Amino acid sequence: MLIAPINDSGNKAPHKFTRIAAGIGVSALTAVMLILAFHPYNVWFLAFFAFVPVLIAQHRILPRKWSGLARRLAGLAEFGGIRHFYRVAGEK
């Protein structure tokens, strides 16, 4: 059984797996916002705020060794969405 260490304020620190899962989730939010910012959804104002979640995940949520994972996951997921757009746009 793993026991979370207690920090200075007396609260239990979040487990490493919990921080990594939260960072992945927040990074995925960036990809969703970027996909929605472009055609066919055209919610263009999301492009101005889309990179905020990945920066929060990279610098505040993920452990230092895992911080590069946030950018990579958001980039791959967003690339997949844009690639899908080009495939659909090419069919028309």
Side-chain angles (χ1 to χ4, degrees), residues 40-89:
Y41 306 107
N42 291 330
V43 189
W44 58 268
F45 60 87
L46 288 178
F48 294 106
F49 307 106
F51 291 104
V52 172
V54 77
L55 291 174
I56 291 173
Q58 182 180 6
H59 295 289
R60 298 288 180 198
I61 298 175
L62 288 169
R64 185 174 293 252
K65 285 185 176 180
W66 290 81
S67 65
L69 179 68
R71 286 184 316 195
R72 288 184 183 101
L73 286 178
L76 285 173
E78 196 271 331
F79 175 71
I82 296 296
R83 194 174 124 216
H84 173 73
F85 160 70
Y86 284 131
R87 183 176 48 211
V88 171

Side-chain angles (χ1 to χ4, degrees), residues 5-62:
I6 297 177
N7 57 16
D8 295 336
S9 63
N11 298 329
K12 287 186 177 180
H15 194 267
K16 185 176 182 178
F17 176 75
T18 305
R19 291 181 64 187
I20 293 170
I24 290 171
V26 173
S27 296
L29 180 62
T30 291
V32 169
M33 290 172 72
L34 283 173
I35 290 169
L36 290 176
F38 293 100
H39 185 73
Y41 306 107
N42 291 330
V43 189
W44 58 268
F45 60 87
L46 288 178
F48 294 106
F49 307 106
F51 291 104
V52 172
V54 77
L55 291 174
I56 291 173
Q58 182 180 6
H59 295 289
R60 298 288 180 198
I61 298 175
L62 288 169

